[in-house]
Amino acid sequence: MTSRNFLSIGLSALVIGGPLVAGAAGTAMLAHAATLSADHDARKAARDAAEAREQLNKNKPERAVRYAESAVANDPHNAEYRALLGQTYLMSGRFQSAQQALTDALALDPGNGTVALHLALSQIANGDWAGARQALDTHSNIIPAGDRGLAMALAGDPVGAVEVLLPVARQPGATPKIRQNLALALALSGRWQEAKSLAALDVPPDQLDRRMADWAAFSRLTNAYDQVASLLGVRAVQDPGQPERLALAETMQPVAAVSQ
């Protein structure tokens, strides 16, 4: 039970059952009750969040969603739980819900680059390329260039993606992931021979043609959500959206006055 609901029910019972407790003692009693309820909710939220992560590790994102939603319901202003909820939605192929949850998570924790990247991916999946590019630009200082570049390519700007990824890939210690992201961006911008040459640095020769065929199929996907789903290794599903009661704006509404 949330602290907000606890206070609403408690006050209603007092109004119906008799006069409100007056003075400092009554206020202290209510404050103590609210604290106990909040502590209970926070503990339950932590347990649910841990279970959501466990279900994700077991590759059971649909079950993870239920626990993550419960965690957010019990601790609605916890940015970590909202980010986790967004992740479970993404891995369930529920991109509209993911965008809603991640928007709220970023509002609570504006400096989280992972959340900003996941938000951009959800926007791309929902066909909001302009919004995704804006998000990537706004948070360019907190999203690693290797990830931001590939997201830019998915958001319809493969040329800009190459410009971001190329200097990073040339740096000493550049990882295979960065080089492969650059190779895919090159492919998406139509520079297939360069993409193949770069991919060959990390892909075994007997697998290179298959990699290029996969990228060719990836480039032909007509729906943005299919590309994001393919990238994440998930299947896009019909999404009813995040439950309205979990929206950050909804959880910040004041408790309604008790009718007398």
Side-chain angles (χ1 to χ4, degrees):
M1 181 180 293
T2 65
S3 58
R4 192 175 106 181
N5 287 339
F6 184 94
L7 285 172
S8 298
I9 295 170
L11 286 173
S12 298
L14 287 171
V15 170
I16 295 171
L20 289 170
V21 178
T27 302
M29 288 172 59
L30 289 175
H32 179 63
T35 299
L36 290 177
S37 180
D39 289 345
H40 173 271
D41 293 344
R43 289 194 297 271
K44 186 176 189 313
R47 291 194 299 269
D48 287 337
E51 185 61 32
R53 296 187 190 97
E54 179 67 20
Q55 294 301 321
L56 276 179
N57 289 336
K58 293 179 179 178
N59 197 28
K60 296 180 179 179
E62 292 81 9
R63 288 180 58 83
V65 163
R66 295 199 294 271
Y67 286 105
E69 286 181 340
S70 180
V72 169
N74 282 284
D75 195 352
H77 299 138
N78 188 306
E80 180 184 349
Y81 298 162
R82 287 192 180 273
L84 175 62
L85 178 59
Q87 183 183 4
T88 65
Y89 284 142
L90 274 178
M91 299 312 295
S92 299
R94 294 178 53 181
F95 299 131
Q96 179 181 335
S97 295
Q99 182 172 338
Q100 293 168 325
L102 293 165
T103 296
D104 288 342
L106 196 60
L108 292 169
D109 185 9
N112 192 316
T114 300
V115 171
L117 174 64
H118 288 173
L119 173 59
L121 288 176
S122 67
Q123 289 173 307
I124 294 167
N126 289 319
D128 184 11
W129 284 9
R133 289 195 293 267
Q134 181 178 350
L136 292 168
D137 182 63
T138 299
H139 302 287
S140 60
N141 61 323
I142 59 173
I143 302 176
D147 295 325
R148 183 165 59 89
L150 181 56
M152 288 173 62
L154 297 176
D157 185 15
V159 175
V162 170
E163 293 176 354
V164 168
L165 287 165
L166 191 57
V168 183
R170 286 174 171 168
Q171 291 178 357
T175 64
K177 172 188 171 182
I178 291 175
R179 287 192 293 270
Q180 293 306 300
N181 283 357
L182 172 57
L184 179 53
L186 286 166
L188 292 176
S189 62
R191 298 162 64 176
W192 286 95
Q193 190 56 50
E194 293 172 81
K196 186 174 184 178
S197 298
L198 184 58
L201 295 178
D202 302 295
V203 179
D206 61 336
Q207 299 177 24
L208 185 58
D209 286 343
R210 178 61 184 175
R211 174 66 58 88
M212 302 311 295
D214 288 342
W215 285 355
F218 183 85
S219 70
R220 290 194 296 269
L221 293 173
T222 56
N223 295 311
Y225 60 78
D226 281 335
Q227 283 196 328
V228 174
S230 176
L231 183 71
L232 298 176
V234 304
R235 180 175 61 87
V237 299
Q238 190 73 25
D239 184 10
Q242 176 184 262
E244 290 185 11
R245 61 183 174 82
L246 297 182
L248 182 61
E250 181 68 20
T251 64
M252 295 179 69
Q253 293 297 320
V255 177
V258 178
S259 58
Q260 300 187 38

